[in-house]
Each structure stands twice: as C-alpha cells, then as structure tokens.
Amino acid sequence: PVSTEAVPSASYRPFNPIDAAIGVLTRPAGAMREIAAARPWRTALILDVVIGLLSALSNVTGSTPGGDDDSLGPIAGAVFESLMALAQSPAGWVFQGLVLGPAFLAIGAGVLLLFGRLLGGRGSYPAVLATQAFASVPFILLAPLTSLLNLAGRGVVALGGALDLGFII
C-alpha cells in the first residue's frame, strides 16, 4: 500500500527566527529571501519591540539634549525639555518600544510595499513587514556600543553618529 500523506521535500526547514537573525548578519541576501518566503510577521513584531526596547535602554546613560539652548523660545523650549524627559523615562521607553516602534514599522512597510508595487514588485505586506523588521537585527549589536559611548560623554557624539549611519547602511 502507498501512503497518501504528503511528504515534505528534503530541503524544507521550519522557520527559525534565531537562524534568520544570524543569517541577516552573515548572509543577508539569502536570509532576507527566506524571511520573505516565510512571512513571519508576528515574530517580526516581537523582534521590533525587543530591538526598540534595547535601543531605548541603551540611551539611558545619555544626557538630555537642549538645556541651555534658548533658540526655541521659552514655551517651545519647556515643551521640548518635557518631551525629552519623558522619552528618557521608563514610561517613555515602553511607549517607544511597544507603540512607536511597531507603528513606524507598519507604516514603513506600507510605504515600501507601495513603492515596490509602483516599480513592478509583487511582494506581500507580511513579507515586507517581516524583512524590514529583521533588517534591524544589527541594531542589537549597536545597543551596547551606544551605552558605552553615552558613558564616555558628549565628546564622542560624532563617533556615535558614524556608528548609527554604518548600522543603518
């Protein structure tokens, strides 16, 4: 008798987010193809939240910009200082990681999908969202570096900006 059950192909592997994250660092093109094919959008949202919280926590040691700058005027300066204080508080970290990060990810994926479609692309929204979230995996490595640079003080701000640019690229 012949079995009627479907036999998975020898090349089939279930999606593993850890392997995908390592793949983004070691073999980005292949890893992104696999991520796009798997479309793990729920995992991508969780990853985005984790990276957002890590990024926010890495800035804990940073100083609040502004202070003696009067170029904004007294009312706008006070509002700016209040927003910066909130952004560097635990409530601000949670808001950035749980609300702003996923919102910007979702909006950014929509914009990328729109431009892709205008240029003849045929990807799906979950695939774009997942690949965009996994593309931020290198920022996990940037968080400890940012913390160290913040501890070093304002004299290394340019180095921190150069690192940010390098990780974005």
Side-chain angles (χ1 to χ4, degrees):
V2 177
S3 173
T4 58
E5 292 181 32
V7 178
S9 67
S11 65
Y12 174 77
R13 296 183 302 148
F15 181 78
N16 182 329
I18 303 296
D19 288 344
I22 292 169
V24 166
L25 297 171
T26 59
R27 47 178 193 82
M32 288 301 183
R33 275 190 224 98
E34 291 170 8
I35 293 165
R39 296 184 300 249
W41 65 271
R42 288 179 188 93
T43 303
L45 285 176
I46 293 168
L47 177 66
D48 186 67
V49 167
V50 169
I51 291 172
L53 290 172
L54 278 174
S55 295
L57 289 174
S58 71
N59 288 315
V60 169
T61 55
S63 60
T64 303
D68 57 355
D69 184 15
D70 293 329
S71 64
L72 294 175
I75 295 174
V79 169
F80 178 76
E81 289 298 321
S82 298
L83 289 174
M84 290 307 297
L86 176 62
Q88 293 187 346
S89 70
W93 306 329
V94 170
F95 183 72
Q96 289 174 41
L98 294 179
V99 178
L100 288 181
F104 287 139
L105 175 68
I107 292 167
V111 169
L112 285 175
L113 182 65
L114 175 66
F115 278 108
R117 292 275 168 88
L118 290 173
L119 296 171
R122 53 184 199 276
S124 68
Y125 181 78
V128 173
L129 184 119
T131 54
Q132 187 177 358
F134 273 89
S136 62
V137 163
F139 286 98
I140 293 172
L141 303 174
L142 183 62
L145 294 173
T146 301
S147 295
L148 290 173
L149 290 174
N150 285 338
L151 288 172
R154 289 186 175 252
V156 293
V157 170
L159 180 59
L163 282 173
D164 282 346
L165 179 62
F167 275 83
I168 287 170
I169 291 172

